[in-house]
């Protein structure tokens, strides 16, 4: 017996629980199994909680885990491995929960809020513009002080409990020994490295396929619903790299049809002003809503057509990207923000071209210059100057933000002080959401709607801002009518406003935001904003229909009598074939639609060439520059960041 006990005493050590100094318990496997089961249970509860928060639906969350070998179970295994590996780093069993749980649950909460507010899931690249969110906090606090206070108290309380729990755990739970920590790392590091290796959605993975993790990058809402929040979030990490389109080569670029169009401007160069009005939209399109007086009479009288916004309720920079470059978000990864991720060197834009023709090029925005990374982006787009709140005179506010009237006066002041022909691109700020009731103390409109009082008051706040934008357009056009120099003005809304419950209560939408994929008639209804293209020589352009922002350079330059190989040549040919180029929809000028075009085996050669040209100029060798963007040839291409 003594010899047996001695033998047992010398048997191979078992790790994870037991002797505080070593982390081992001789001769017994139960602590190992218990630790593994507890880690697995903790991972299961945590992953379930994450999905429940993001989805906001208990039944849908349960359904996500019902079938075996689905992404939900893979996620649980990955989380268990992370917990075990992090325990080894921290030196105490289950201590990792105090880091992993708060972090992932907070991400889930933010993801749920983003989905409610903007309709899109949370992407890794969203953290590139976290500073923008912080900058908007004063506005959110002013509009929703109760929510802000509750959130602040919750954050402080949670952090206090976390600090207390951390210190208590380190006092009560024995430290793991060196061998126990090494064993954990030996188990987890190779397995986690393996899972990381299969997360690149651009390459086929047999293992990922067997685990039924299918990257659905063309439909991110379905991607997150099918693969779960954590795995879909991980699948989006490689988004920072844009792979070359199939068939991209020097030969493919050379084969693209060259329009017989040269760069030219009239002898008397027209001045050009483009105003992208924040969230500008016609609120009378809401069912059952009556607003008196008409909030947008000038836009209604001058309207040339509509812009089909690729966004809903936010992401202004993506609309701006299309309108200035004539390129399309449809050819970039879903959820990406080119201003944040891809514009890191000069990219051709209308400003680049017009500057080469002797124009003064200036961007104007009465907000902070760093918002949406605009300062380096505008420089890469070829603007001479960027006027923001940091270098403009103080502009009067209406409500909490700089008024459209003040911004319009600043545009006129800048123009009157300029002798050279100019191109101004202005982005307004006044009517930025949220639209809490009583935003303006002196409303001039009345709203009748079959909704709650809160929804009516919220809609009134938006309506007042839209009316102010309409009056500012009237002021700008009246000024231009009296100018000797030819002047072209374009005015459009970047996206529908984030009105949330107003849409639901009026029956305009089923949810607070529009789906990414709908029948084409519904897509048009939920993504179009008013568009005016006007000249002081010929008046408003008529019957433009609904067009993607990428086609605005074509319409603006054509109205100004300016030609260019790409902006009026190539885009002009594209415009004859399509009026809308969206990642989920192609629409012809006659209304024929092609939904889910990117997933079809055969893609229209015109769309293929559009994508190849864009990739070549943004990420490739710029072989197309001499023929399509001659103003960029022999220009140094430095990186701005």
């Amino acid at each position: 017996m003594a010899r047996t006990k001695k033998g047992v005493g010398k048997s191979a050590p078992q790790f994870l629980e037991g002797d505080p100094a070593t982390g081992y318990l001789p001769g017994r496997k139960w602590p190992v199994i218990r630790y593994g089961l507890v880690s697995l249970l903790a991972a299961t509860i945590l992953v379930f909680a994450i999905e429940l928060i993001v989805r906001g639906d208990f039944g849908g969350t349960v359904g996500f885990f019902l079938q075996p070998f689905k992404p939900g179970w893979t996620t649980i295994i990955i989380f268990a491995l992370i917990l075990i590996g992090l325990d080894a780093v921290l030196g105490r069993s289950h201590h990792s929960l105090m880091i992993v749980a708060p972090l992932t649950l907070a991400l889930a909460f933010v993801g749920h809020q983003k989905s409610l507010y903007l309709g899109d899931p949370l992407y890794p690249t969203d953290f590139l513009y976290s500073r923008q969110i912080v900058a908007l906090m004063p506005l959110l606090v002013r509009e929703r002080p109760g929510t802000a206070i509750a959130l602040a108290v919750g954050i402080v309380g949670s952090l206090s409990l976390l600090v207390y729990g951390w210190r208590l755990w380190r006092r009560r739970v024995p430290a793991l020994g060196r061998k126990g920590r090494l064993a954990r790392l030996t188990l987890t590091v190779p397995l986690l490295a393996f899972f990381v290796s299969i997360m690149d959605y651009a390459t086929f993975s047999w293992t990922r396929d067997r685990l039924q993790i299918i990257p659905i990058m063309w439909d991110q809402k379905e991607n997150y619903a099918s693969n779960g929040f954590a795995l879909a979030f991980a699948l989006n990490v490689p988004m920072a790299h844009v792979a070359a389109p199939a068939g991209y080569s020097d030969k493919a670029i050379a084969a693209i049809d060259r329009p017989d169009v040269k760069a030219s401007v009239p002898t008397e160069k027209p001045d050009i002003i483009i105003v992208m009005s924040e969230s500008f939209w016609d609120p009378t399109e809401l069912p059952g809503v009556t607003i008196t007086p008409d909030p947008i009479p000038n836009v209604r009288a001058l309207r040339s057509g509509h812009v089909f916004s690729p966004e809903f309720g936010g992401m202004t920079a993506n609309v701006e990207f299309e309108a200035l470059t004539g390129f399309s978000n449809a050819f970039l990864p879903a959820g990406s923000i080119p201003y944040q991720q891809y514009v890191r060197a000069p990219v051709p834009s209308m400003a680049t071209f017009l500057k080469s023709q002797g124009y003064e090029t200036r961007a104007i925005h009465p907000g902070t210059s760093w918002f949406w990374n605009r300062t380096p982006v505008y420089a890469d787009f070829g603007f001479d100057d960027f006027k923001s709140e940091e270098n403009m005179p103080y502009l009067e506010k209406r409500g909490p933000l700089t008024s459209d009237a003040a911004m319009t006066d600043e545009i006129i002041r800048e123009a009157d002080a300029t002798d050279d022909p100019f191109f101004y691109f202005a982005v307004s700020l006044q009517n930025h959401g949220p639209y809490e009731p009583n935003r303006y103390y002196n409303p001039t409109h009345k709203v009748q709607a079959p909704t709650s009082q809160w929804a009516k008051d919220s809609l009134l706040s938006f309506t007042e801002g839209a009316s102010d934008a309409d009056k500012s357009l009237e002021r700008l056009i009246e000024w231009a009518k009296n100018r000797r120099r030819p002047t072209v003005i374009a005015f459009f809304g970047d996206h529908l406003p984030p009105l949330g419950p107003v849409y639901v209560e009026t029956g305009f939408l089923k949810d607070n935001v529009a789906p990414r994929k709908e029948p084409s008639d519904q897509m048009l209804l939920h993504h179009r904003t008013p568009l005016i293209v006007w000249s002081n020589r010929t008046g408003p352009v008529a019957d433009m229909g609904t067009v993607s922002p990428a086609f605005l350079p074509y319409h603006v330059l054509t109205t100004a009598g300016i030609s260019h190989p790409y902006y009026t040549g190539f885009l002009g040919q594209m415009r004859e074939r399509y009026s809308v180029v969206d990642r989920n929809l192609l629409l012809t000028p006659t209304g024929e639609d092609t939904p889910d075009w990117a997933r079809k085996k055969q893609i229209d050669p015109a769309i293929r060439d559009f994508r190849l040209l864009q990739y070549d100029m943004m990420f490739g060798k710029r072989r197309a520059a001499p023929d399509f963007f001659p103003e960029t040839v022999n220009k140094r291409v430095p990186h701005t960041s």
Side-chain angles (χ1 to χ4, degrees):
M1 289 290 291
R3 210 166 28 202
T4 302
K5 288 181 180 178
K6 186 176 180 180
V8 171
K10 291 183 178 180
S11 63
Q14 305 297 319
F15 73 99
L16 305 183
E17 297 286 352
D19 184 355
T22 65
Y24 281 73
L25 182 65
R28 296 180 63 184
K29 295 183 178 179
W30 166 241
V32 180
I33 298 173
R34 183 178 65 187
Y35 174 81
L37 290 175
V38 170
S39 297
L40 193 62
L41 178 62
T44 302
I45 294 172
L46 181 56
V47 173
F48 187 90
I50 290 169
E51 291 299 321
L52 181 60
I53 291 172
V54 172
R55 295 168 188 268
D57 175 14
F58 184 83
T61 304
V62 171
F64 178 64
F65 294 97
L66 278 182
Q67 298 184 30
F69 309 116
K70 284 289 186 180
W73 299 98
T74 302
T75 307
I76 289 171
I77 298 299
I78 293 174
F79 267 67
L81 291 171
I82 291 172
L83 293 175
I84 293 171
L86 196 53
D87 279 348
V89 175
L90 298 174
R92 282 170 173 77
S93 297
H94 310 304
H95 207 183
S96 56
L97 272 171
M98 294 189 180
I99 294 177
V100 177
L103 178 61
T104 54
L105 293 174
L107 286 175
F109 174 77
V110 173
H112 179 68
Q113 293 301 309
K114 184 191 175 189
S115 180
L116 286 177
Y117 191 72
L118 295 177
D120 277 338
L122 184 71
Y123 304 112
T125 50
D126 288 338
F127 294 98
L128 292 172
Y129 63 99
S130 56
R131 189 179 174 193
Q132 280 92 312
I133 299 173
V134 173
L136 287 175
M137 287 304 294
L139 176 61
L140 297 174
V141 169
R142 187 185 300 113
E143 298 278 3
R144 301 180 181 179
T147 302
I149 293 172
L151 186 60
V153 171
I155 291 173
V156 172
S158 299
L159 290 175
S160 300
L161 286 174
L162 186 60
V163 171
Y164 174 76
W166 182 274
R167 298 177 63 181
L168 181 66
W169 197 267
R170 294 194 72 84
R171 287 200 305 264
R172 298 288 182 87
V173 177
L176 297 172
R178 185 191 307 172
K179 292 182 179 179
R181 298 171 75 174
L182 182 60
R184 286 171 167 81
L185 291 174
T186 302
L187 170 70
T188 59
V189 170
L191 290 173
L192 287 173
F194 167 73
F195 279 113
V196 169
S197 70
I198 68 172
M199 284 297 105
D200 183 2
Y201 67 84
T203 59
F204 176 76
S205 167
W206 183 89
T207 305
R208 189 176 63 213
D209 193 54
R210 299 288 77 75
L211 293 172
Q212 298 186 40
I213 302 170
I214 303 172
I216 311 175
M217 310 310 289
W218 59 89
D219 187 347
Q220 288 289 356
K221 293 187 76 171
E222 181 60 28
N223 189 30
Y224 276 70
S226 177
N227 291 311
F229 176 78
L231 283 184
F233 189 86
L235 286 167
N236 276 287
V237 170
M239 189 190 297
H241 171 71
V242 178
Y248 174 68
S249 65
D250 293 352
K251 184 177 180 180
I253 295 298
I256 297 175
D257 181 46
R258 269 61 175 168
D260 187 20
V261 176
K262 304 297 182 183
S264 68
V265 296
T267 303
E268 189 177 18
K269 298 175 181 176
D271 293 327
I272 299 173
I273 300 172
I274 298 179
V275 177
M276 188 170 72
S277 184
E278 174 62 45
S279 298
F280 187 84
W281 180 64
D282 182 0
T284 64
E285 290 193 14
L286 292 167
V289 168
T290 302
I291 300 175
T292 52
D294 183 358
I296 58 168
N298 297 293
V299 168
R300 208 178 302 284
L302 298 171
R303 186 164 55 201
S304 303
H306 291 88
V307 162
F308 181 94
S309 176
E311 302 295 342
F312 183 95
M315 297 298 186
T316 296
N318 284 355
V319 185
E320 191 174 317
F321 165 77
E322 291 200 14
L324 284 171
T325 64
F327 294 151
S328 176
N329 289 285
F331 308 136
L332 297 172
S336 62
I337 306 164
Y339 273 28
Q340 299 286 359
Q341 297 150 272
Y342 308 134
V343 182
R344 291 292 182 267
V347 172
S349 77
M350 275 201 294
T352 310
F353 165 57
L354 292 172
K355 182 178 179 179
S356 73
Q357 298 296 321
Y359 275 72
E360 177 184 303
T361 56
R362 178 169 296 166
I364 301 171
H365 175 58
T368 52
S369 60
W370 55 263
F371 208 95
W372 286 125
N373 202 36
R374 281 189 172 106
T375 296
V377 168
Y378 284 154
D380 283 338
F381 281 178
F383 283 99
D384 293 311
D385 190 22
F386 175 25
K387 292 293 185 181
S388 63
E389 73 172 15
E390 292 91 347
N391 57 10
M392 278 195 293
Y394 172 78
L395 301 182
E396 293 290 336
K397 290 180 168 51
R398 174 140 155 77
L401 300 171
T402 299
S403 73
D404 281 6
M407 187 191 77
T408 301
D409 287 344
E410 179 64 14
I411 292 172
I412 293 172
R413 187 187 72 80
E414 297 265 355
D416 287 342
T418 302
D419 293 327
D420 295 329
F422 61 78
F423 167 51
Y424 290 170
F425 179 77
V427 182
S428 72
L429 185 62
Q430 177 184 331
N431 215 19
H432 200 291
Y435 309 101
E436 291 299 301
N438 306 312
R439 183 170 186 168
Y440 304 102
Y441 71 91
N442 55 344
T444 58
H445 293 78
K446 292 184 179 181
V447 173
Q448 293 181 332
T451 65
S452 65
Q453 188 61 46
W454 187 96
K456 277 193 283 191
D457 292 342
S458 174
L459 180 56
L460 177 60
S461 292
F462 169 77
T463 299
E464 288 294 317
S467 176
D468 286 349
D470 183 83
K471 292 172 184 173
S472 294
L473 174 65
E474 179 186 30
R475 161 104 167 92
L476 190 64
I477 285 181
E478 289 302 316
W479 163 80
K481 283 179 179 178
N482 296 318
R483 301 191 77 217
R484 181 189 61 80
R485 293 237 304 254
T487 305
V488 173
I489 295 174
F491 176 97
F492 67 99
D494 52 351
H495 50 69
L496 267 69
L499 287 169
V502 175
Y503 293 131
V504 178
E505 292 188 33
T506 58
F508 185 75
L509 289 170
K510 294 180 180 178
D511 299 309
N512 287 346
V513 295
R516 283 286 183 183
K517 296 171 64 176
E518 301 180 277
S520 59
D521 60 333
Q522 293 299 298
M523 289 276 283
L524 285 171
L525 181 63
H526 299 153
H527 285 269
R528 67 181 188 181
T529 64
L531 167 65
I532 293 95
V533 178
W534 177 91
S535 166
N536 65 351
R537 293 290 190 267
T538 58
V541 178
D543 302 323
M544 284 176 53
T546 300
V547 299
S548 287
F551 290 122
L552 286 180
Y554 163 73
H555 286 288
V556 170
L557 294 181
T558 300
T559 303
I562 297 173
S563 64
H564 182 269
Y566 178 79
Y567 296 117
T568 62
F570 181 84
L571 283 183
Q573 291 181 350
M574 284 296 306
R575 179 66 178 85
E576 292 177 1
R577 296 178 66 88
Y578 296 104
S579 59
V580 171
V581 177
D582 180 71
R583 73 177 67 256
N584 295 308
L585 175 70
L586 295 177
L587 196 67
T588 69
T590 57
E592 299 174 16
D593 62 338
T594 308
D596 287 332
W597 61 270
R599 299 194 62 199
K600 298 184 182 299
K601 292 183 178 180
Q602 297 294 328
I603 295 177
D604 183 353
I607 294 295
R608 178 203 61 206
D609 290 348
F610 195 179
R611 177 157 50 184
L612 288 172
L613 258 179
Q614 177 172 320
Y615 179 86
D616 183 63
M617 294 304 300
M618 288 188 67
F619 310 104
K621 301 176 182 179
R622 297 186 175 226
R623 300 296 190 195
D627 292 321
F628 291 95
F629 301 95
E631 67 276 8
T632 67
V633 176
N634 299 323
K635 295 291 180 67
R636 188 169 62 90
V637 185
H639 286 266
T640 57
S641 58

